[in-house]
Structures are given as structure tokens and as C-alpha cells.
Amino acid sequence: MSSPAITRFAPSPTGSLHLGNARTAFFSHLWARKTAGRFILRIEDTDVERSQDRYRAELLDDLAWLGLDWDEGPDVGGPSAPYRQAERGEFYRSLFERLAREDRVYPCYCTAQELELSRKLQRMAGKPPRYAGTCRGLSVAQRAEREARGLTATLRFRVPEERVIEFTDLVHGPQRFLSDDIGDFIVRRENGSAAFFFCNAVDDSVMGVTHVLRGDDHLTNTPRQILVLEALGLRLMQYGHVGLLIGADGAPLSKRHGSTSVRDFRQRGFLPQALLNHLFHLGHTAETDGFLELARMPRYFRPDHLGRAPARFDEVQLVHWQKVSLARASTDCLRDWLGTAVTPPPGLDFDAFVELVRHNAVLPADAVPWAEAAWGRLAPLDAQTQQLVREAGPAFFSAALRAYDESAGDWKLMTASLRERTGRSGAALFMPLRAALTGQRHGPELAPLLKLMPAAVARARLQSHAESP
Ligand code: GLU
Ligand code: ZN
């Protein structure tokens, strides 16, 4: 077994947990579990304008719902607390002071408009837009003059010249960047808060993270983060940048594909096991393609089998895993699951209903027609169904009612008795019964359905087609 991996998930609470992020959290979790390492949860909420408490609470709740428990982080604490970056300002300030003393950072007084204009000019000249270095060489007097005018400053990292930054990405292999292609970037915002490039990297390092898994979109951020860590003399992590999730059309998974967040799927009634089993195979070549409980997944997780190609999220696959998960779920679990969509009348054997729909529903909403058939109000019969009932005739239903009473709702006894009374059998017997009892020509098996149908409901349905009493 390889040495313990300290991994982390570092979400920004600026929205609901996206499936793509849930996947990197999941893989990081599996890696830690596989190697008996640790999985850290850190909330990156220094951007006070975009971060929201409600998203933070949702994030924790969705991760817990998926079963991705963390060894260090909010709620559980740990040796590197606090785990909310909003509470780590003091620590960042001490590092900024150090960087300033060593002249590795400098204040930048450029306004948003000035920066925009500069980028525009660079683009027009056919160059990639980056910070032009306007404030790089300001003298102490020039800085003082700007401060006196009441200008506020961001803090920029002084990117060293003519440096080659190399690292081996766990997924993408050897990487090489030139520092001269990187503009001096912001490490502290105008309001004094630490910016992403900075606090993300230093926290990973000081929290002891060994392996960072994150989305591809961060690959080009890595050389900047390495420069920051080097300037501070901090330990580097290994990075693995995994391919993004795409929708059926090949575009990055986004709102226009429908559900994209864990919460969306959760609210629709997908089970966590279904989501995890689908995510497990997205951009990850596992050693098995069978269903796995979360506890068994670390064994089959192969960090060296993570792919760089975008992985296609496919709801058809998800539905497949949902069916497998439903078939395996306990009655208790399914009772809660169904309880969100249907409310049984008092005294009804709900467990029997749960077992009935287990193999006939994908989402709780699919159970609604079944609940209606079992104890609800039937919609008016369509023409063909009505025809079936009419053809059987009132005498048939009067006989059915007697057979029902005699057999106390036991389907086998009831139909045997009805066969004798009416001489009907096969479809001629079952179809009109199904039509009268469920309002449908197709649907659930009648034996279990009838068993859980309240007697008053069953009698009323048969009575409504029988001879008048
Ligand atoms: N807070 C960053 C994000 O959500 C973290 C990126 C990373 O994993 O390094 O994009
Ligand atoms: Zn500037």
C-alpha cells in the first residue's frame, strides 16, 4: 500500500455543490481512505461578496449526504483549525508582512478601469492580456503620494523574471511554464482579504496536504501557486488536474443541461449510492464495473487511472445505478425515500407498498400513480378502459364484490371464486378487474396491490360498476 495521502476538498461557498466538484471531492476522499490518510475539508470563503452562509451549510450537508465524511474541517476541527479561510486572516497577514519585507509583493494602485484599458490595448496588439507591471517600480515617495490621495491598493506578487516552472501533474504528466508569461498577480484584494492564488496554496501546504486533486481549469494556476510557496519557503504538494464533466452535447456540464448540482439530484430523489456509482466511473477507469457500496470503493479506486479527457455525465447511466441502488436498499431507506412523495392513509401497510414500487419506480414521483391506484382517487377512465368495464357488465362486478368479501381481499382466492361464478378466465377475467380496481389497463401486479388497498376503497371501486344494490 502506498504512503498515506493527505487530500482535501476546498470549495468556495458561492453556489450549490456542482457535480464536477463533488466528483473531485469524492476522488480525494477515496484516495485518503485507500491509503489510510486523511481527508480535509476547507471552506474558501475569503471572497465575502460572493460567499454565502447558506451555501456553506448546504455544502456540508450535501457532502454528508453523499457519505464523504472528513477527518479535519468545519464541525470536526483538527490540528490546522480554523478550516474556514474567512477565519484565517491573521495568519495570512503575517505572511503578507513577510513577503513585503522581502520585497516579493508590492502595492498596486491601478483602478479597474485602468486595468481594463491596459488589457484592451494588449489584446489589440495581439498579446495575451496580463498585468503590465505599472506599479512594479514605484518608489517609496510615489507610493506615499498615492496613499495621500486616498487611493487603496491591492497587493501583487512580484513574479521573478526568466524562471522556468516545472512540475509533474499526476494526470497530465510533465508541465513547463515560463515565468515571463505570467503577469504579477493579486495575492491580497483591495479590501485586505487574501486572494485565491495565495490562500489556496499556502493552506494546502501548511495543512499538510500531500495530493491536490482538482479540475483541469486550475492547471494554469499551478505555476503561480508554486511561485508563492517557493517565495515563502513552504512545502509543495503534488497536483492532479482531472478532466471536466461535460453533458451529452460535449459542452461543460451547466445549467442548460438540467440538473447539475448534487442538491438537484438529491431533491429529485436520486440515492447517494446511485450518484457515487456513476461518478466513480467518470474519468476514472476502475477495476470493476459492478455496483459498489462507498465503503468498498477505496479498494477499487486507482489514482493513476484518472483521465484527462472530459468525462461525459449521462443521466441514462445514472438511472441504471439508481435502479440497482433501489433494488439493494433497505425497506427503511425506501420508506423515507418514498415518504417525500406519497402519504399513506393511517393503518395502511406502507412497507408492503414500498416493496411493491421498489422495482417499478426510479424516482419517488413515479410512485404517485401507484399510490393513487392503491388508495387515492381514480382519474376518469379512458375510452378503452371504459369499454373493458362495460363489456364485463354489472353482473360481473357484483360477483366480483361477493368474491372479494368472501376472500377478504386475497387475490388468488378471489379470482378463483370469480372464475367459478362467471365462467370467465384469463384476460377476460383479469382485465376488467384491473380496469375497475386501478383505473388502468397496465400497471402493478394486482395481488400485492389488492392486499394493501383499504377494503373500503376496493369495495367502492367494484361497487361503482356493479348492479345497483
Ligand atoms: N476554491 C477553489 C474552487 O472552488 C478551490 C480550487 C482547488 O481545488 O484548488 O475552485
Ligand atoms: Zn498597478
Side-chain angles (χ1 to χ4, degrees):
M1 180 127 122
S2 36
S3 54
I6 315 300
T7 62
R8 52 64 157 181
F9 178 47
S12 306
T14 56
S16 292
L17 177 57
H18 188 273
L19 274 187
N21 286 337
R23 185 180 61 141
T24 46
F26 177 36
F27 289 163
S28 299
H29 173 90
L30 292 179
W31 200 344
R33 293 289 170 266
K34 182 183 186 69
T35 58
R38 288 203 318 276
F39 177 58
I40 302 174
L41 177 62
R42 181 178 71 237
I43 304 295
E44 306 215 308
D45 53 356
T46 61
D47 186 343
V48 286
E49 259 128 63
R50 299 180 54 225
S51 300
Q52 288 187 29
D53 279 348
R54 115 182 131 91
Y55 287 133
R56 178 165 46 88
E58 265 191 21
L59 268 167
L60 302 195
D61 191 51
D62 287 343
L63 286 174
W65 177 77
L66 284 170
L68 306 183
D69 53 338
W70 50 96
D71 308 302
E72 294 177 36
D75 295 351
V76 302
S80 307
Y83 292 90
R84 281 185 59 187
Q85 290 188 325
E87 294 169 1
R88 298 173 65 78
E90 202 64 52
F91 169 59
Y92 303 141
R93 258 192 300 284
S94 69
L95 296 180
F96 289 136
E97 274 163 26
R98 225 173 92 198
L99 289 172
R101 271 199 306 277
E102 292 163 17
D103 201 30
R104 308 300 298 261
V105 292
Y106 61 88
C108 163
Y109 299 91
C110 298
T111 63
Q113 293 93 309
E114 284 166 342
L115 293 173
E116 185 44 48
L117 179 64
S118 155
R119 279 193 291 268
K120 209 182 258 172
L121 292 173
Q122 294 183 61
R123 269 196 294 267
M124 277 161 57
K127 291 194 213 140
R130 55 189 164 97
Y131 182 63
T134 319
C135 306
R136 206 172 210 249
L138 293 182
S139 65
V140 175
Q142 283 168 318
R143 284 182 195 161
E145 181 270 328
R146 283 165 177 74
E147 302 276 338
R149 273 198 280 141
L151 293 182
T152 49
T154 60
L155 204 61
R156 283 188 189 268
F157 184 78
R158 193 185 293 280
V159 174
E161 282 161 35
E162 295 181 13
R163 270 285 316 277
V164 179
I165 304 130
E166 287 178 300
F167 62 95
T168 301
D169 188 84
L170 296 161
V171 177
H172 289 256
Q175 302 292 308
R176 191 169 186 273
F177 294 87
L178 303 177
S179 69
D180 290 349
D181 293 336
I182 303 172
D184 292 347
F185 53 90
I186 294 176
V187 290
R188 194 182 69 197
R189 299 185 189 92
E190 208 175 323
N191 67 5
S193 64
F196 167 74
F197 288 134
F198 178 82
C199 46
N200 175 267
V202 302
D203 279 347
D204 280 342
S205 183
V206 302
M207 289 182 175
V209 171
T210 57
H211 297 83
V212 170
L213 284 185
R214 57 183 182 181
D216 252 355
D217 46 334
H218 286 291
L219 184 59
T220 56
N221 296 335
T222 305
R224 293 177 178 80
Q225 301 197 286
I226 290 176
L227 289 174
V228 168
L229 294 177
E230 282 180 357
L232 287 162
L234 290 174
R235 186 188 52 85
L236 302 182
M237 295 71 69
Q238 284 215 281
Y239 289 93
H241 291 88
V242 297
L244 295 181
L245 284 192
I246 53 175
D249 58 354
L253 195 65
S254 71
K255 282 273 177 272
R256 72 195 166 79
H257 292 104
S259 308
T260 55
S261 68
V262 169
R263 196 139 285 238
D264 288 341
F265 289 101
R266 185 178 167 183
Q267 278 167 351
R268 284 169 62 194
F270 283 97
L271 295 174
Q273 296 87 332
L275 268 178
L276 292 179
N277 272 277
H278 186 32
L279 293 177
F280 192 64
H281 297 284
L282 288 182
H284 171 233
T285 325
E287 281 165 6
T288 173
D289 45 22
F291 177 93
L292 290 175
E293 292 293 345
L294 176 57
R296 303 237 309 141
M297 288 178 168
R299 235 183 103 187
Y300 294 93
F301 175 66
R302 290 287 303 265
D304 52 334
H305 284 191
L306 290 171
R308 70 185 90 175
R312 198 174 295 261
F313 182 82
D314 180 359
E315 212 166 296
V316 175
Q317 278 299 311
L318 178 62
V319 165
H320 161 75
W321 291 118
Q322 172 81 350
K323 288 180 181 162
V324 178
S325 307
L326 288 172
R328 304 172 56 103
S330 68
T331 308
D332 277 354
C333 160
L334 291 193
R335 203 187 299 121
D336 294 343
W337 177 75
L338 275 180
T340 59
V342 300
T343 316
L348 185 111
D349 182 356
F350 195 42
D351 286 0
F353 180 75
V354 166
E355 289 309 322
L356 183 62
V357 296
R358 177 194 286 275
H359 299 287
N360 292 290
V362 170
L363 296 175
D366 301 335
V368 171
W370 298 69
E372 269 156 19
W375 64 76
R377 269 167 78 97
L378 295 188
L381 306 189
D382 67 21
Q384 248 180 304
T385 313
Q386 230 167 46
Q387 176 57 33
L388 268 172
V389 168
R390 210 174 300 127
E391 183 275 325
F396 173 81
F397 290 105
S398 295
L401 197 55
R402 278 193 297 278
Y404 176 82
D405 287 339
E406 249 173 45
S407 60
D410 181 286
W411 177 251
K412 234 178 157 161
L413 294 178
M414 174 183 172
T415 47
S417 148
L418 191 56
R419 198 176 296 125
E420 242 168 63
R421 286 169 190 275
T422 63
R424 281 176 176 255
S425 63
L429 178 78
F430 298 125
M431 289 303 281
L433 272 183
R434 173 182 289 284
L437 286 169
T438 70
Q440 317 267 336
R441 275 167 288 124
H442 315 278
E445 247 188 284
L446 282 169
L449 188 67
L450 190 66
K451 200 160 148 213
L452 64 93
M453 192 179 288
V457 172
R459 296 194 83 257
R461 287 178 186 176
L462 294 171
Q463 180 70 67
S464 70
H465 303 292
E467 296 152 326
S468 7

